[in-house]
Amino acid sequence: MANQQVDGLSALGDPTRRAIFECLAERPRAVGELADVLPVSRPAVSQHLKVLKAARLVTEQAEGTRRIYRLNPAGVAAMRDQLDTFWNRALTGYVRNTNEPTPREQS
């Protein structure tokens, strides 16, 4: 999955990935730091980070022998734009449906 383009919303559909995302929203962290606060192993955190990275929601930076992960502002903004589009479509549909006359009103 790491070599494929992954949708941000799909990536966050997993509770562990969502928890990692929330931790990284607080501050950048290394894999070990994430594993310390989550009920999963370091290898599992690494696998989840690969998915989040493929979804462009996180980036990594080498600091010595560690890799520090942080949220990717561009990826988060793209996901927000997608959510805004869905929300606007839903509101437009709601307004359209509430303004249409019901069958009784048409008689």
Side-chain angles (χ1 to χ4, degrees), residues 4-107:
Q4 302 174 17
Q5 180 66 31
V6 179
D7 177 72
L9 294 174
S10 297
L12 291 177
D14 180 89
T16 301
R17 285 194 288 272
R18 202 166 42 254
I20 291 169
F21 183 84
E22 290 170 3
C23 285
L24 294 175
E26 294 171 5
R27 65 180 171 81
R29 300 176 196 232
V31 173
E33 293 175 88
L34 291 165
D36 288 344
V37 298
L38 297 169
V40 294
S41 66
R42 283 181 184 214
V45 169
S46 293
Q47 291 301 311
H48 286 296
L49 284 166
K50 284 182 184 180
V51 174
L52 291 170
K53 191 174 170 189
R56 298 177 313 176
L57 294 176
V58 301
T59 61
E60 64 179 317
Q61 180 179 358
E63 285 188 11
T65 59
R66 299 182 337 152
R67 295 216 172 266
I68 305 300
Y69 291 86
R70 59 182 34 89
L71 294 186
N72 178 2
V76 173
M79 187 174 60
R80 177 165 181 161
D81 288 346
Q82 186 180 13
L83 287 170
D84 285 345
T85 299
F86 292 151
W87 179 249
N88 289 333
R89 285 181 188 164
L91 285 178
T92 299
Y94 174 78
V95 168
R96 185 175 37 247
N97 287 330
T98 57
N99 290 333
E100 289 179 3
T102 63
R104 272 194 205 174
E105 293 172 343
Q106 292 176 349
S107 303

